[in-house]
Amino acid sequence: MSDAPHSTKAEFDFVVVSNRLPVDRVTDSDGVASWTRSPGGLVTALEPVMREADGAWVGWGGQPDLTIDPFENDGIHIVPVDLSAADIEEFYEGFSNDTLWPLYHDVIAPPAYHREWWESYVRVNQRFADAAAAASAQGAVVWVQDYQLQLVPRMLRESRPDLTIGFFNHIPFPPYGIFSQLPWRLQIIEGLLGADVIGFQRVADAGNFLRAVRRLTSFPTRNPAIEVSSAGQPTRRVVARAFPISIDAKSFEELAREPRIQERAREIREGLGNPRTVMLGVDRLDYTKGIGHRLKAFGELLAEGRVNVEDVTLVQVASPSRERVAAYMQLRDEIELTVGRINGDFATMSHTAISYHHHGYPRDEMVALYLAADVLLVTALRDGMNLVAKEYVASRFDDDGVLVLSEFTGASDELKKALLINPHDIDGVKDAILQAIAMPAKERATRMRSLRKRVLENDVSRWSSNFLHTLEQARASRYDRISPVQLPDELEWTVDRRWSD
Ligand code: F6P
Protein backbone atom coordinates (compact mmCIF):
# COMPACT_ATOMS: atom_id res chain seq x y z
CA MET A 1 0.00 0.00 0.00
CA SER A 2 1.43 3.37 -0.97
CA ASP A 3 1.35 6.26 1.50
CA ALA A 4 1.91 9.04 -1.04
CA PRO A 5 0.85 12.34 0.61
CA HIS A 6 -1.99 14.10 -1.10
CA SER A 7 -3.30 17.64 -1.25
CA THR A 8 -5.97 18.75 1.26
CA LYS A 9 -7.70 21.19 -1.13
CA ALA A 10 -11.47 21.17 -1.58
CA GLU A 11 -11.21 19.50 -4.97
CA PHE A 12 -13.31 16.37 -4.93
CA ASP A 13 -16.62 16.09 -6.75
CA PHE A 14 -17.47 12.85 -4.96
CA VAL A 15 -16.80 12.31 -1.25
CA VAL A 16 -17.64 9.29 0.91
CA VAL A 17 -17.71 9.81 4.67
CA SER A 18 -17.70 6.86 7.08
CA ASN A 19 -16.53 6.36 10.63
CA ARG A 20 -13.84 3.92 9.55
CA LEU A 21 -11.55 4.27 6.58
CA PRO A 22 -11.10 1.22 4.33
CA VAL A 23 -7.71 0.78 6.02
CA ASP A 24 -6.81 0.68 9.71
CA ARG A 25 -3.50 1.83 11.12
CA VAL A 26 -1.90 -0.99 13.15
CA THR A 27 1.32 -0.92 15.13
CA ASP A 28 3.22 -4.16 15.78
CA SER A 29 5.12 -5.08 18.95
CA ASP A 30 8.28 -3.41 17.59
CA GLY A 31 6.38 -0.15 17.15
CA VAL A 32 6.31 -0.44 13.36
CA ALA A 33 3.11 1.02 11.89
CA SER A 34 1.34 -0.22 8.77
CA TRP A 35 -2.15 -0.16 7.23
CA THR A 36 -4.42 -3.22 7.05
CA ARG A 37 -7.88 -3.70 5.60
CA SER A 38 -10.68 -2.63 8.00
CA PRO A 39 -13.27 -5.14 9.24
CA GLY A 40 -16.96 -5.19 8.34
CA GLY A 41 -19.41 -5.16 5.48
CA LEU A 42 -19.33 -1.41 4.87
CA VAL A 43 -15.76 -1.53 3.57
CA THR A 44 -16.43 -4.73 1.57
CA ALA A 45 -19.24 -2.93 -0.25
CA LEU A 46 -17.78 0.53 -0.73
CA GLU A 47 -14.20 -0.28 -1.63
CA PRO A 48 -14.96 -1.39 -5.22
CA VAL A 49 -17.25 1.63 -5.68
CA MET A 50 -14.49 4.00 -4.60
CA ARG A 51 -11.90 2.34 -6.82
CA GLU A 52 -14.10 3.16 -9.81
CA ALA A 53 -14.79 6.75 -8.74
CA ASP A 54 -12.20 9.48 -8.54
CA GLY A 55 -13.40 10.57 -5.12
CA ALA A 56 -12.14 11.04 -1.58
CA TRP A 57 -12.87 8.82 1.43
CA VAL A 58 -13.11 10.71 4.74
CA GLY A 59 -12.85 8.63 7.93
CA TRP A 60 -10.96 7.56 11.04
CA GLY A 61 -7.74 5.52 10.81
CA GLY A 62 -8.55 3.16 13.70
CA GLN A 63 -6.04 4.44 16.29
CA PRO A 64 -6.26 7.32 18.81
CA ASP A 65 -4.60 10.67 18.09
CA LEU A 66 -3.61 9.79 14.55
CA THR A 67 -2.80 13.12 12.96
CA ILE A 68 -1.82 12.28 9.41
CA ASP A 69 -2.10 14.13 6.14
CA PRO A 70 -4.38 12.92 3.37
CA PHE A 71 -2.73 10.24 1.22
CA GLU A 72 -3.49 7.88 -1.62
CA ASN A 73 -4.01 4.18 -0.94
CA ASP A 74 -4.53 1.66 -3.73
CA GLY A 75 -6.10 4.27 -5.98
CA ILE A 76 -8.33 5.79 -3.26
CA HIS A 77 -7.78 9.32 -1.87
CA ILE A 78 -7.84 8.97 1.89
CA VAL A 79 -8.69 11.93 4.16
CA PRO A 80 -8.11 10.92 7.80
CA VAL A 81 -10.16 12.36 10.68
CA ASP A 82 -8.46 12.42 14.06
CA LEU A 83 -10.18 10.86 17.10
CA SER A 84 -8.69 11.25 20.58
CA ALA A 85 -8.73 8.45 23.17
CA ALA A 86 -11.70 10.22 24.84
CA ASP A 87 -13.57 10.45 21.50
CA ILE A 88 -13.06 6.72 20.97
CA GLU A 89 -14.40 5.97 24.43
CA GLU A 90 -17.42 8.27 24.28
CA PHE A 91 -18.31 8.62 20.59
CA TYR A 92 -17.23 5.24 19.15
CA GLU A 93 -17.35 2.67 21.96
CA GLY A 94 -19.97 4.63 23.91
CA PHE A 95 -22.73 6.32 21.91
CA SER A 96 -22.19 4.48 18.61
CA ASN A 97 -21.64 0.98 19.91
CA ASP A 98 -23.19 0.88 23.38
CA THR A 99 -26.23 3.10 22.70
CA LEU A 100 -27.16 3.10 19.00
CA TRP A 101 -25.89 -0.38 18.04
CA PRO A 102 -27.97 -2.34 20.61
CA LEU A 103 -30.94 0.04 20.19
CA TYR A 104 -30.98 -0.41 16.41
CA HIS A 105 -30.62 -4.22 16.74
CA ASP A 106 -33.88 -4.90 18.60
CA VAL A 107 -32.31 -4.17 22.02
CA ILE A 108 -30.69 -7.65 22.02
CA ALA A 109 -28.32 -6.06 24.58
CA PRO A 110 -29.51 -3.16 26.76
CA PRO A 111 -28.55 0.26 25.31
CA ALA A 112 -26.83 2.69 27.72
CA TYR A 113 -27.89 6.34 27.65
CA HIS A 114 -25.26 8.84 28.83
CA ARG A 115 -25.47 12.56 28.17
CA GLU A 116 -21.70 12.97 27.92
CA TRP A 117 -21.62 10.25 25.19
CA TRP A 118 -24.27 12.17 23.27
CA GLU A 119 -22.29 15.41 23.57
CA SER A 120 -19.23 13.60 22.22
CA TYR A 121 -21.34 12.18 19.34
CA VAL A 122 -22.40 15.74 18.39
CA ARG A 123 -18.83 17.06 18.58
CA VAL A 124 -17.31 14.23 16.57
CA ASN A 125 -20.08 14.32 13.94
CA GLN A 126 -19.28 18.04 13.51
CA ARG A 127 -15.61 17.16 12.97
CA PHE A 128 -16.51 14.64 10.24
CA ALA A 129 -18.87 17.18 8.64
CA ASP A 130 -16.12 19.83 8.65
CA ALA A 131 -13.60 17.41 7.11
CA ALA A 132 -16.09 16.40 4.41
CA ALA A 133 -16.93 20.05 3.66
CA ALA A 134 -13.22 20.88 3.40
CA ALA A 135 -12.63 18.06 0.89
CA SER A 136 -15.70 18.82 -1.27
CA ALA A 137 -15.60 20.92 -4.43
CA GLN A 138 -18.45 23.35 -5.14
CA GLY A 139 -21.62 21.35 -5.92
CA ALA A 140 -20.03 18.01 -4.99
CA VAL A 141 -21.91 14.83 -4.08
CA VAL A 142 -21.24 13.71 -0.50
CA TRP A 143 -22.32 10.23 0.55
CA VAL A 144 -22.43 9.77 4.34
CA GLN A 145 -22.38 6.21 5.72
CA ASP A 146 -23.94 4.56 8.72
CA TYR A 147 -25.26 5.08 12.23
CA GLN A 148 -22.10 6.64 13.66
CA LEU A 149 -22.65 9.76 11.51
CA GLN A 150 -26.39 10.46 11.51
CA LEU A 151 -25.97 14.16 12.35
CA VAL A 152 -23.54 14.83 9.50
CA PRO A 153 -26.18 15.37 6.74
CA ARG A 154 -27.81 18.30 8.56
CA MET A 155 -24.45 19.77 9.63
CA LEU A 156 -23.25 19.65 6.03
CA ARG A 157 -26.50 21.12 4.70
CA GLU A 158 -26.05 24.08 7.07
CA SER A 159 -22.43 24.77 6.18
CA ARG A 160 -22.55 23.79 2.47
CA PRO A 161 -26.02 24.21 0.91
CA ASP A 162 -24.40 23.74 -2.53
CA LEU A 163 -23.75 20.03 -1.87
CA THR A 164 -25.89 17.06 -2.84
CA ILE A 165 -26.04 14.86 0.24
CA GLY A 166 -26.84 11.14 0.47
CA PHE A 167 -26.96 8.98 3.58
CA PHE A 168 -26.95 5.18 3.77
CA ASN A 169 -27.69 3.24 6.96
CA HIS A 170 -25.89 -0.12 6.89
CA ILE A 171 -27.65 -1.46 9.98
CA PRO A 172 -31.37 -1.87 10.68
CA PHE A 173 -33.52 1.16 11.56
CA PRO A 174 -35.64 0.15 14.54
CA PRO A 175 -39.43 0.28 14.89
CA TYR A 176 -40.72 3.41 16.61
CA GLY A 177 -41.61 1.49 19.80
CA ILE A 178 -37.88 0.90 20.27
CA PHE A 179 -36.44 4.04 18.64
CA SER A 180 -38.59 6.23 20.90
CA GLN A 181 -36.45 5.16 23.90
CA LEU A 182 -33.64 7.35 22.61
CA PRO A 183 -33.54 10.65 24.54
CA TRP A 184 -32.11 12.36 21.41
CA ARG A 185 -34.51 10.78 18.91
CA LEU A 186 -35.66 14.09 17.41
CA GLN A 187 -32.10 15.34 16.88
CA ILE A 188 -31.24 12.10 15.06
CA ILE A 189 -34.25 12.41 12.74
CA GLU A 190 -33.44 16.06 12.05
CA GLY A 191 -29.80 15.14 11.42
CA LEU A 192 -30.75 12.54 8.82
CA LEU A 193 -33.28 14.82 7.14
CA GLY A 194 -30.39 17.08 6.10
CA ALA A 195 -29.80 14.54 3.29
CA ASP A 196 -31.49 14.55 -0.13
CA VAL A 197 -31.76 10.74 -0.11
CA ILE A 198 -31.72 8.47 2.95
CA GLY A 199 -31.09 4.82 2.08
CA PHE A 200 -31.89 1.74 4.15
CA GLN A 201 -31.23 -1.98 3.72
CA ARG A 202 -34.83 -3.20 3.88
CA VAL A 203 -38.24 -1.81 3.03
CA ALA A 204 -39.11 -2.46 6.70
CA ASP A 205 -36.26 -0.14 7.81
CA ALA A 206 -37.41 2.67 5.50
CA GLY A 207 -40.98 2.15 6.83
CA ASN A 208 -39.76 2.40 10.43
CA PHE A 209 -37.92 5.62 9.60
CA LEU A 210 -40.95 7.19 7.89
CA ARG A 211 -43.12 6.28 10.89
CA ALA A 212 -40.57 7.92 13.23
CA VAL A 213 -40.65 11.07 11.06
CA ARG A 214 -44.46 11.13 11.28
CA ARG A 215 -44.45 10.64 15.06
CA LEU A 216 -41.75 13.20 15.83
CA THR A 217 -42.29 15.97 13.26
CA SER A 218 -45.17 17.62 11.47
CA PHE A 219 -43.54 17.21 8.04
CA PRO A 220 -45.90 15.85 5.38
CA THR A 221 -44.82 12.43 4.04
CA ARG A 222 -45.85 10.51 1.00
CA ASN A 223 -43.86 7.34 0.69
CA PRO A 224 -40.98 7.58 -0.20
CA ALA A 225 -40.87 11.40 0.07
CA ILE A 226 -40.86 13.77 3.05
CA GLU A 227 -41.39 17.52 2.77
CA VAL A 228 -38.93 19.17 5.15
CA SER A 229 -39.29 22.80 6.15
CA SER A 230 -37.17 24.86 8.52
CA ALA A 231 -37.24 28.57 9.38
CA GLY A 232 -35.75 30.77 6.68
CA GLN A 233 -35.12 27.84 4.31
CA PRO A 234 -37.09 26.81 1.23
CA THR A 235 -39.12 23.61 1.71
CA ARG A 236 -37.09 20.59 0.53
CA ARG A 237 -38.13 17.15 -0.58
CA VAL A 238 -36.21 14.23 0.94
CA VAL A 239 -36.45 10.66 -0.35
CA ALA A 240 -36.22 7.72 2.12
CA ARG A 241 -36.26 4.20 0.67
CA ALA A 242 -34.59 0.80 0.58
CA PHE A 243 -31.42 0.07 -1.41
CA PRO A 244 -30.29 -3.43 -0.36
CA ILE A 245 -26.51 -3.48 -0.39
CA SER A 246 -24.38 -6.16 -2.04
CA ILE A 247 -20.84 -7.22 -2.87
CA ASP A 248 -18.53 -7.23 -5.87
CA ALA A 249 -19.87 -10.72 -6.69
CA LYS A 250 -17.75 -11.29 -9.81
CA SER A 251 -14.49 -10.76 -7.94
CA PHE A 252 -15.46 -13.51 -5.47
CA GLU A 253 -16.34 -15.89 -8.31
CA GLU A 254 -13.08 -15.09 -10.11
CA LEU A 255 -11.04 -15.88 -7.02
CA ALA A 256 -12.96 -19.09 -6.43
CA ARG A 257 -12.18 -20.23 -9.96
CA GLU A 258 -8.42 -19.92 -9.39
CA PRO A 259 -6.79 -23.38 -9.10
CA ARG A 260 -4.60 -22.26 -6.15
CA ILE A 261 -7.73 -21.31 -4.17
CA GLN A 262 -9.38 -24.65 -4.97
CA GLU A 263 -6.19 -26.43 -3.91
CA ARG A 264 -6.27 -24.48 -0.65
CA ALA A 265 -9.91 -25.51 -0.12
CA ARG A 266 -8.86 -29.18 -0.45
CA GLU A 267 -6.04 -28.60 2.04
CA ILE A 268 -8.47 -27.06 4.51
CA ARG A 269 -10.75 -30.11 4.34
CA GLU A 270 -7.78 -32.43 4.72
CA GLY A 271 -6.56 -30.48 7.73
CA LEU A 272 -9.96 -31.01 9.32
CA GLY A 273 -9.64 -34.79 8.84
CA ASN A 274 -11.79 -34.92 5.69
CA PRO A 275 -15.16 -35.02 7.43
CA ARG A 276 -18.17 -35.73 5.20
CA THR A 277 -19.64 -32.31 5.99
CA VAL A 278 -17.82 -29.08 6.79
CA MET A 279 -20.07 -26.39 8.23
CA LEU A 280 -18.87 -22.81 8.42
CA GLY A 281 -19.73 -19.69 10.44
CA VAL A 282 -18.07 -16.34 9.64
CA ASP A 283 -18.89 -13.33 11.79
CA ARG A 284 -17.49 -10.37 13.62
CA LEU A 285 -17.62 -11.51 17.25
CA ASP A 286 -20.85 -9.61 17.94
CA TYR A 287 -23.89 -10.49 20.05
CA THR A 288 -26.18 -9.72 17.11
CA LYS A 289 -24.76 -12.65 15.12
CA GLY A 290 -26.36 -15.47 17.14
CA ILE A 291 -23.11 -17.44 17.41
CA GLY A 292 -24.22 -18.87 20.76
CA HIS A 293 -27.52 -20.09 19.24
CA ARG A 294 -25.58 -21.86 16.47
CA LEU A 295 -23.24 -23.54 18.96
CA LYS A 296 -26.18 -24.61 21.12
CA ALA A 297 -27.90 -26.26 18.17
CA PHE A 298 -24.73 -28.06 17.05
CA GLY A 299 -23.85 -29.10 20.62
CA GLU A 300 -27.32 -30.61 21.11
CA LEU A 301 -27.10 -32.54 17.84
CA LEU A 302 -23.76 -34.00 18.97
CA ALA A 303 -25.11 -34.80 22.45
CA GLU A 304 -28.13 -36.55 20.96
CA GLY A 305 -25.89 -38.58 18.64
CA ARG A 306 -27.71 -37.23 15.56
CA VAL A 307 -24.36 -36.09 14.16
CA ASN A 308 -20.82 -37.09 15.15
CA VAL A 309 -17.46 -35.38 14.83
CA GLU A 310 -16.04 -37.88 12.32
CA ASP A 311 -18.81 -36.85 9.92
CA VAL A 312 -19.45 -33.19 10.69
CA THR A 313 -17.10 -30.35 11.71
CA LEU A 314 -18.00 -26.73 12.34
CA VAL A 315 -15.40 -24.10 11.44
CA GLN A 316 -16.16 -20.85 13.24
CA VAL A 317 -14.28 -17.70 12.23
CA ALA A 318 -15.05 -15.00 14.81
CA SER A 319 -13.11 -11.86 13.98
CA PRO A 320 -12.29 -9.59 16.94
CA SER A 321 -14.54 -6.56 17.26
CA ARG A 322 -15.05 -3.63 19.69
CA GLU A 323 -13.01 -5.46 22.27
CA ARG A 324 -13.14 -2.77 24.95
CA VAL A 325 -16.96 -2.67 25.10
CA ALA A 326 -18.15 -4.75 28.10
CA ALA A 327 -20.91 -6.61 26.19
CA TYR A 328 -18.33 -7.79 23.64
CA MET A 329 -15.87 -8.94 26.32
CA GLN A 330 -18.63 -10.93 27.99
CA LEU A 331 -19.71 -12.44 24.68
CA ARG A 332 -16.17 -13.59 23.92
CA ASP A 333 -15.95 -15.32 27.30
CA GLU A 334 -19.30 -17.05 26.75
CA ILE A 335 -18.53 -18.20 23.22
CA GLU A 336 -15.06 -19.48 24.04
CA LEU A 337 -16.34 -21.31 27.13
CA THR A 338 -19.01 -23.00 25.01
CA VAL A 339 -16.56 -23.93 22.24
CA GLY A 340 -14.19 -25.39 24.86
CA ARG A 341 -16.98 -27.38 26.48
CA ILE A 342 -18.28 -28.82 23.20
CA ASN A 343 -14.78 -29.75 22.06
CA GLY A 344 -13.96 -31.19 25.47
CA ASP A 345 -17.11 -33.34 25.41
CA PHE A 346 -17.07 -34.53 21.81
CA ALA A 347 -13.65 -34.17 20.12
CA THR A 348 -11.65 -37.32 19.34
CA MET A 349 -7.88 -37.60 18.86
CA SER A 350 -8.38 -37.20 15.11
CA HIS A 351 -11.40 -34.85 14.87
CA THR A 352 -12.46 -31.68 16.64
CA ALA A 353 -16.09 -30.67 16.82
CA ILE A 354 -15.45 -26.95 16.35
CA SER A 355 -12.40 -25.42 14.72
CA TYR A 356 -12.51 -21.92 16.28
CA HIS A 357 -10.53 -18.93 14.97
CA HIS A 358 -10.53 -15.60 16.77
CA HIS A 359 -9.06 -13.51 13.95
CA GLY A 360 -9.88 -12.28 10.49
CA TYR A 361 -8.46 -13.81 7.31
CA PRO A 362 -7.48 -12.29 3.97
CA ARG A 363 -9.97 -12.52 1.09
CA ASP A 364 -8.13 -15.47 -0.59
CA GLU A 365 -8.37 -17.62 2.51
CA MET A 366 -12.03 -16.72 3.01
CA VAL A 367 -12.92 -17.78 -0.51
CA ALA A 368 -11.03 -21.07 -0.01
CA LEU A 369 -13.05 -21.58 3.19
CA TYR A 370 -16.31 -20.88 1.33
CA LEU A 371 -15.35 -23.52 -1.25
CA ALA A 372 -14.38 -25.97 1.48
CA ALA A 373 -17.70 -25.52 3.34
CA ASP A 374 -20.69 -27.72 2.47
CA VAL A 375 -22.93 -25.57 4.64
CA LEU A 376 -22.77 -21.90 5.66
CA LEU A 377 -24.60 -21.10 8.90
CA VAL A 378 -25.88 -17.52 9.27
CA THR A 379 -27.88 -17.37 12.50
CA ALA A 380 -27.94 -13.59 13.17
CA LEU A 381 -30.61 -12.39 15.60
CA ARG A 382 -30.74 -9.12 13.67
CA ASP A 383 -28.48 -7.99 10.83
CA GLY A 384 -28.81 -5.08 8.41
CA MET A 385 -27.88 -7.25 5.41
CA ASN A 386 -25.20 -9.96 6.11
CA LEU A 387 -22.76 -9.83 3.25
CA VAL A 388 -21.07 -13.09 4.30
CA ALA A 389 -24.15 -14.92 2.98
CA LYS A 390 -23.71 -13.17 -0.38
CA GLU A 391 -19.95 -13.84 -0.45
CA TYR A 392 -20.59 -17.57 0.05
CA VAL A 393 -23.12 -17.69 -2.76
CA ALA A 394 -20.92 -15.64 -5.13
CA SER A 395 -17.98 -17.99 -4.49
CA ARG A 396 -19.94 -21.19 -5.23
CA PHE A 397 -19.50 -21.20 -9.02
CA ASP A 398 -19.80 -24.99 -8.76
CA ASP A 399 -23.51 -24.58 -7.85
CA ASP A 400 -22.91 -26.54 -4.67
CA GLY A 401 -23.17 -25.77 -0.95
CA VAL A 402 -26.17 -25.02 1.26
CA LEU A 403 -26.93 -21.65 2.82
CA VAL A 404 -28.77 -21.75 6.17
CA LEU A 405 -29.94 -18.17 6.68
CA SER A 406 -31.65 -16.32 9.51
CA GLU A 407 -34.87 -14.59 8.53
CA PHE A 408 -33.72 -11.65 10.67
CA THR A 409 -31.07 -10.63 8.13
CA GLY A 410 -31.67 -8.19 5.30
CA ALA A 411 -30.26 -10.85 2.95
CA SER A 412 -33.25 -13.12 3.64
CA ASP A 413 -35.51 -10.70 1.73
CA GLU A 414 -33.64 -11.67 -1.45
CA LEU A 415 -32.16 -15.11 -0.80
CA LYS A 416 -35.41 -17.02 -0.56
CA LYS A 417 -33.89 -20.29 -1.76
CA ALA A 418 -31.72 -20.55 1.33
CA LEU A 419 -32.94 -22.70 4.22
CA LEU A 420 -34.55 -19.87 6.18
CA ILE A 421 -34.51 -20.22 9.97
CA ASN A 422 -35.62 -18.45 13.12
CA PRO A 423 -32.40 -18.62 15.18
CA HIS A 424 -34.36 -18.39 18.44
CA ASP A 425 -36.02 -21.71 17.58
CA ILE A 426 -33.15 -24.08 18.43
CA ASP A 427 -35.10 -27.17 17.31
CA GLY A 428 -35.77 -25.44 13.99
CA VAL A 429 -32.05 -24.63 13.59
CA LYS A 430 -31.17 -28.27 14.35
CA ASP A 431 -33.68 -29.49 11.75
CA ALA A 432 -32.26 -27.08 9.17
CA ILE A 433 -28.71 -28.29 9.89
CA LEU A 434 -29.78 -31.91 9.41
CA GLN A 435 -31.68 -31.00 6.25
CA ALA A 436 -28.61 -29.18 4.90
CA ILE A 437 -26.31 -32.11 5.67
CA ALA A 438 -28.64 -34.60 3.98
CA MET A 439 -29.70 -32.45 1.03
CA PRO A 440 -29.39 -34.32 -2.30
CA ALA A 441 -26.91 -32.86 -4.81
CA LYS A 442 -29.70 -32.03 -7.27
CA GLU A 443 -31.61 -29.92 -4.77
CA ARG A 444 -28.39 -28.20 -3.64
CA ALA A 445 -27.65 -27.23 -7.25
CA THR A 446 -31.17 -25.97 -7.95
CA ARG A 447 -31.20 -23.79 -4.85
CA MET A 448 -27.66 -22.49 -5.34
CA ARG A 449 -28.31 -21.58 -9.00
CA SER A 450 -31.26 -19.46 -7.99
CA LEU A 451 -29.31 -17.79 -5.14
CA ARG A 452 -26.41 -17.07 -7.46
CA LYS A 453 -28.62 -15.47 -10.08
CA ARG A 454 -29.88 -13.02 -7.47
CA VAL A 455 -26.46 -12.18 -6.03
CA LEU A 456 -24.69 -11.84 -9.38
CA GLU A 457 -27.45 -9.62 -10.81
CA ASN A 458 -27.87 -7.38 -7.77
CA ASP A 459 -24.21 -6.69 -7.15
CA VAL A 460 -22.62 -3.74 -5.43
CA SER A 461 -22.18 -1.67 -8.56
CA ARG A 462 -25.93 -1.91 -9.16
CA TRP A 463 -26.51 -0.87 -5.54
CA SER A 464 -24.29 2.20 -5.79
CA SER A 465 -25.56 3.24 -9.21
CA ASN A 466 -29.19 2.89 -8.03
CA PHE A 467 -28.45 5.03 -5.01
CA LEU A 468 -26.45 7.66 -6.86
CA HIS A 469 -29.00 7.82 -9.69
CA THR A 470 -31.79 8.38 -7.16
CA LEU A 471 -29.63 11.04 -5.49
CA GLU A 472 -29.15 12.81 -8.81
CA GLN A 473 -32.91 12.75 -9.47
CA ALA A 474 -33.62 13.96 -5.93
CA ARG A 475 -31.21 16.87 -6.33
CA ALA A 476 -32.93 17.90 -9.55
CA SER A 477 -36.36 17.85 -7.88
CA ARG A 478 -35.28 19.02 -4.42
CA TYR A 479 -37.66 21.97 -4.35
CA ASP A 480 -40.63 20.30 -6.05
CA ARG A 481 -43.64 19.85 -3.80
CA ILE A 482 -44.57 16.32 -2.86
CA SER A 483 -46.05 14.36 -5.70
CA PRO A 484 -46.26 10.63 -6.12
CA VAL A 485 -42.64 10.04 -7.22
CA GLN A 486 -42.38 6.76 -9.04
CA LEU A 487 -39.03 5.26 -8.13
CA PRO A 488 -38.30 1.78 -9.42
CA ASP A 489 -38.56 -0.87 -6.74
CA GLU A 490 -36.04 -3.42 -7.93
CA LEU A 491 -37.02 -6.20 -5.62
CA GLU A 492 -40.14 -7.53 -4.04
CA TRP A 493 -40.28 -6.96 -0.33
CA THR A 494 -42.46 -7.97 2.55
CA VAL A 495 -42.92 -5.28 5.15
CA ASP A 496 -41.85 -6.42 8.58
CA ARG A 497 -44.51 -5.12 10.92
CA ARG A 498 -43.12 -6.64 14.11
CA TRP A 499 -42.62 -4.06 16.87
CA SER A 500 -44.22 -1.31 14.82
CA ASP A 501 -47.06 0.56 16.37
O1 F6P B 1 -21.81 -2.39 9.04
C1 F6P B 1 -21.84 -1.97 10.33
C2 F6P B 1 -20.48 -1.52 10.85
O2 F6P B 1 -20.60 -0.93 12.10
C3 F6P B 1 -19.75 -0.55 9.95
O3 F6P B 1 -20.15 0.78 10.09
C4 F6P B 1 -18.35 -0.80 10.39
O4 F6P B 1 -17.39 -0.35 9.52
C5 F6P B 1 -18.33 -2.31 10.58
O5 F6P B 1 -19.62 -2.64 10.99
C6 F6P B 1 -17.31 -2.80 11.59
O6 F6P B 1 -17.54 -2.21 12.84
P1 F6P B 1 -16.44 -1.33 13.56
O7 F6P B 1 -16.06 -0.22 12.65
O8 F6P B 1 -17.06 -0.85 14.83
O9 F6P B 1 -15.27 -2.25 13.80
Side-chain angles (χ1 to χ4, degrees):
M1 294 182 180
S2 81
D3 264 23
H6 198 276
S7 126
T8 54
K9 279 198 317 248
E11 60 186 347
F12 295 100
D13 293 320
F14 180 56
V15 176
V16 159
V17 195
S18 65
N19 174 53
R20 239 181 228 285
L21 286 168
V23 281
D24 264 348
R25 184 83 156 175
V26 287
T27 311
D28 68 15
S29 49
D30 299 326
V32 179
S34 60
W35 293 95
T36 61
R37 196 166 187 282
S38 304
L42 183 152
V43 167
T44 306
L46 276 165
E47 215 182 12
V49 175
M50 285 305 278
R51 263 185 229 301
E52 293 289 303
D54 184 28
W57 193 324
V58 176
W60 168 53
Q63 275 185 356
D65 302 309
L66 202 60
T67 316
I68 34 179
D69 286 335
F71 61 96
E72 188 156 333
N73 179 275
D74 272 355
I76 301 176
H77 307 286
I78 302 281
V79 181
V81 173
D82 187 8
L83 295 190
S84 67
D87 295 332
I88 293 172
E89 208 178 312
E90 297 181 344
F91 154 76
Y92 171 70
E93 292 164 348
F95 199 77
S96 297
N97 289 316
D98 214 6
T99 304
L100 294 174
W101 182 268
L103 184 77
Y104 281 31
H105 287 87
D106 285 358
V107 291
I108 295 166
Y113 302 114
H114 296 298
R115 283 163 285 186
E116 59 280 18
W117 288 1
W118 164 252
E119 283 154 20
S120 173
Y121 186 78
V122 176
R123 271 197 311 275
V124 174
N125 268 247
Q126 188 65 59
R127 201 174 312 148
F128 276 90
D130 293 345
S136 300
Q138 183 71 19
V141 169
V142 181
W143 195 2
V144 184
Q145 309 291 325
D146 231 355
Y147 63 102
Q148 302 96 339
L149 302 178
Q150 292 172 100
L151 305 179
V152 170
R154 179 178 180 172
M155 290 168 168
L156 272 178
R157 171 85 45 212
E158 281 168 1
S159 66
R160 291 288 302 271
D162 59 297
L163 300 176
T164 301
I165 304 166
F167 179 90
F168 186 77
N169 201 47
H170 291 252
I171 69 172
F173 193 88
Y176 188 69
I178 289 179
F179 182 68
S180 58
Q181 283 186 18
L182 187 66
W184 307 279
R185 59 198 184 188
L186 179 59
Q187 290 95 316
I188 292 285
I189 295 294
E190 287 174 343
L192 291 169
L193 288 173
D196 293 294
V197 174
I198 308 168
F200 297 93
Q201 299 280 27
R202 305 178 93 163
V203 167
D205 298 319
N208 288 340
F209 174 75
L210 283 167
R211 277 189 286 279
V213 170
R214 284 196 284 270
R215 294 294 290 264
L216 294 170
T217 74
S218 53
F219 300 147
T221 63
R222 181 161 187 174
N223 192 7
I226 304 153
E227 216 167 71
V228 176
S229 39
S230 45
Q233 303 291 322
T235 298
R236 281 187 305 120
R237 203 174 75 181
V238 174
V239 169
R241 56 163 285 214
F243 299 86
I245 203 168
S246 194
I247 54 165
D248 181 8
K250 269 214 188 72
S251 73
F252 279 87
E253 167 159 359
E254 276 163 20
L255 257 185
R257 284 184 183 277
E258 286 187 26
R260 67 183 176 95
I261 302 287
Q262 291 167 32
E263 179 50 33
R264 177 67 193 135
R266 277 190 288 276
E267 266 172 36
I268 290 172
R269 288 190 74 101
E270 233 166 72
L272 294 167
N274 271 324
R276 198 164 343 133
T277 304
V278 174
M279 300 199 298
L280 175 66
V282 178
D283 313 85
R284 274 188 310 102
L285 189 43
D286 194 300
Y287 51 80
T288 59
K289 304 289 183 183
I291 303 170
H293 294 61
R294 183 182 314 167
L295 296 180
K296 191 171 178 52
F298 185 47
E300 285 187 15
L301 287 172
L302 287 165
E304 291 158 8
R306 293 162 83 189
V307 295
N308 68 68
V309 293
E310 262 82 37
D311 285 340
V312 184
T313 298
L314 171 63
V315 177
Q316 177 63 52
V317 176
S319 51
S321 188
R322 305 171 191 166
E323 290 187 284
R324 298 189 334 165
V325 178
Y328 289 75
M329 292 181 203
Q330 196 191 327
L331 175 79
R332 181 173 178 192
D333 288 347
E334 284 166 15
I335 295 299
E336 294 186 354
L337 185 74
T338 310
V339 168
R341 280 205 179 133
I342 294 177
N343 278 339
D345 286 345
F346 302 107
T348 63
M349 288 300 174
S350 54
H351 290 86
T352 50
I354 302 167
S355 172
Y356 174 79
H357 308 264
H358 182 243
H359 39 84
Y361 285 106
R363 170 82 55 95
D364 288 13
E365 185 72 356
M366 289 314 304
V367 173
L369 263 171
Y370 293 143
L371 286 181
D374 304 287
V375 180
L376 182 79
L377 296 176
V378 178
T379 53
L381 307 177
R382 181 56 79 193
D383 206 338
M385 177 53 63
N386 196 285
L387 293 180
V388 167
K390 293 190 173 181
E391 290 178 7
Y392 180 63
V393 168
S395 303
R396 296 312 301 244
F397 69 93
D398 55 354
D399 289 339
D400 206 351
V402 182
L403 173 62
V404 175
L405 181 62
S406 163
E407 63 189 64
F408 300 113
T409 61
S412 70
D413 280 347
E414 292 168 82
L415 303 181
K416 299 281 189 211
K417 286 289 180 189
L419 294 184
L420 294 178
I421 50 149
N422 168 3
H424 298 281
D425 171 12
I426 300 297
D427 285 334
V429 177
K430 287 159 68 180
D431 289 345
I433 289 175
L434 293 178
Q435 190 187 344
I437 291 172
M439 191 179 285
K442 199 160 167 235
E443 183 180 348
R444 295 201 300 266
T446 312
R447 286 178 182 268
M448 186 52 82
R449 265 198 294 275
S450 146
L451 294 171
R452 287 179 56 70
K453 187 168 183 300
R454 204 79 193 203
V455 170
L456 284 154
E457 275 173 16
N458 293 315
D459 68 354
V460 75
S461 86
R462 185 146 175 203
W463 168 76
S464 59
S465 58
N466 269 346
F467 186 95
L468 294 172
H469 177 66
T470 307
L471 189 54
E472 176 56 35
Q473 282 184 330
R475 186 195 57 76
S477 54
R478 187 185 283 158
Y479 301 113
D480 293 356
R481 302 310 297 259
I482 282 191
S483 61
V485 252
Q486 283 311 317
L487 294 162
D489 242 346
E490 297 283 330
L491 305 157
E492 296 149 26
W493 304 104
T494 48
V495 176
D496 182 352
R497 297 196 186 283
R498 268 159 305 159
W499 299 93
S500 63
D501 53 355

